[in-house]
Amino acid sequence: MSATFESFGTRLTTKSPIFFITTYFSDYILVPLRHRSQVVQALEERGFQFEKDTSSYVNSFQHGRKHSATSLEVQPPSTPPPTTISELQTRTFSTLKRRNIVPTVDSSIRLVQCAGRRDNHSRNNSTTSADDALHLGLVKCLITQPYPKFLSLTLTDTESAALLLDHTLLPHFAQDTLLGSRDEFLTPITLDLRDLPMESTGIVCGVAGRLVGETTGQLEEPVEMSYLSTARAGTVMVAEEELERALDALRGASANGIATSNE
């Protein structure tokens, strides 16, 4: 997800809760329907244009897709945002401290981002052999012990199924069932948000902003990130080899420390 999304999120989070989902194909932003016009305006001010062919917003200022920020140097919107990225970070980590919420990392969880193959020969919306193979693999994941520590499935009407799952679950899928690399791993940094009200805003954006700002140097690019928001938690995922850089950045802001495990 690009820096444009970091700044875009900052522009909206004081008024609207935002949920993020990064998949193999796309980045999704989920907001309350009543804030739709604000979201569209913020996207357009950041250079995004709606493409009817893909039913999605595409950043006209950037070519090609990356999962994460490469710079915070983006063009300012026509009106000042209600809070700066720095202020959002301060507010986020103050909230985490007050609620005793600790970023949690289990380095034994090695996530793979992938997608189901789509059979273009299907007819009348009937399932195909590719669909059947994917469904079988998912069922095996859910009923086989040990049960999965981490499994996310995103279904839309425009793209094939997108999965984010622990690498230990890959053997449940036939060899040609999934698209994506099987040896590029992500590590989740999870925030348990069950004790926060649903209208709480800016948590994921604040943590992501901290990671971008504190890992950007003259000779280093910021850590790349993916995101997953659920009803109970906010998760920021970084490449396995970038985990220590990410944790160093969070240690400087998290007054409650960081809970780590490698079980």
Side-chain angles (χ1 to χ4, degrees):
M1 190 172 287
S2 69
T4 306
F5 271 120
E6 310 290 350
S7 185
F8 157 76
T10 305
R11 179 170 173 77
L12 286 179
T13 47
T14 56
K15 294 183 178 181
S16 171
I18 300 177
F19 298 90
F20 297 101
I21 301 176
T22 304
T23 72
Y24 183 80
F25 297 105
S26 304
D27 293 316
Y28 291 91
I29 304 171
L30 308 178
V31 298
L33 183 60
R34 63 183 180 276
H35 294 294
R36 178 178 178 177
S37 60
Q38 288 178 263
V39 175
V40 171
Q41 180 182 354
L43 283 169
E44 292 176 346
E45 288 176 349
R46 293 298 179 181
F48 286 83
Q49 297 178 348
F50 187 76
E51 284 192 354
K52 292 183 178 180
D53 291 342
T54 59
S55 297
S56 62
Y57 280 90
V58 177
N59 190 347
S60 59
F61 295 155
Q62 297 178 353
H63 299 283
R65 178 177 179 275
K66 294 184 178 180
H67 287 304
S68 67
T70 57
S71 171
L72 284 178
E73 298 176 356
V74 296
Q75 295 297 319
S78 57
T79 57
T83 184
T84 66
I85 292 177
S86 177
E87 290 171 345
L88 179 60
Q89 291 177 37
T90 300
R91 186 185 68 183
T92 294
F93 285 96
S94 294
T95 299
L96 297 180
K97 178 182 179 181
R98 186 171 62 253
R99 297 281 186 162
N100 199 32
I101 296 173
V102 179
T104 302
V105 179
D106 184 347
S107 57
S108 69
I109 299 178
R110 308 173 77 193
L111 302 180
V112 175
Q113 197 163 61
C114 50
R117 292 185 181 275
R118 173 169 287 182
D119 189 338
N120 295 324
H121 301 292
S122 61
R123 296 180 180 178
N124 300 323
N125 296 321
S126 60
T127 59
T128 66
S129 58
D131 295 329
D132 292 338
L134 177 64
H135 297 162
L136 178 60
L138 288 170
V139 170
K140 287 181 178 179
C141 289
L142 296 175
I143 67 173
T144 304
Q145 295 186 3
Y147 298 125
K149 290 184 176 181
F150 197 114
L151 172 61
S152 172
L153 172 66
T154 303
L155 301 174
T156 71
D157 59 355
T158 58
E159 298 171 344
S160 58
L163 291 85
L164 184 65
L165 71 168
D166 191 87
H167 75 290
T168 58
L169 301 175
L170 290 175
H172 294 312
F173 297 89
Q175 185 65 36
D176 296 327
T177 303
L178 301 176
L179 298 171
S181 173
R182 291 177 175 240
D183 55 10
E184 294 182 7
F185 303 116
L186 299 172
T187 301
I189 302 172
T190 303
L191 299 164
D192 187 340
L193 305 180
R194 284 176 291 182
D195 293 334
L196 293 181
M198 276 294 291
E199 61 270 18
S200 297
T201 61
I203 303 299
V204 173
C205 284
V207 173
R210 172 75 184 186
L211 289 174
V212 171
E214 294 299 316
T215 60
T216 303
Q218 293 182 346
L219 300 178
E220 286 186 310
E221 295 289 335
V223 295
E224 293 198 356
M225 290 170 282
S226 299
Y227 309 91
L228 178 64
S229 301
T230 69
R232 303 179 67 180
T235 302
V236 178
M237 290 155 288
V238 300
E240 193 174 57
E241 60 271 17
E242 298 275 28
L243 179 60
E244 285 307 314
R245 289 179 63 204
L247 293 182
D248 286 343
L250 292 180
R251 287 188 183 104
S254 178
N256 299 326
I258 298 174
T260 59
S261 171
N262 57 6
E263 296 180 358

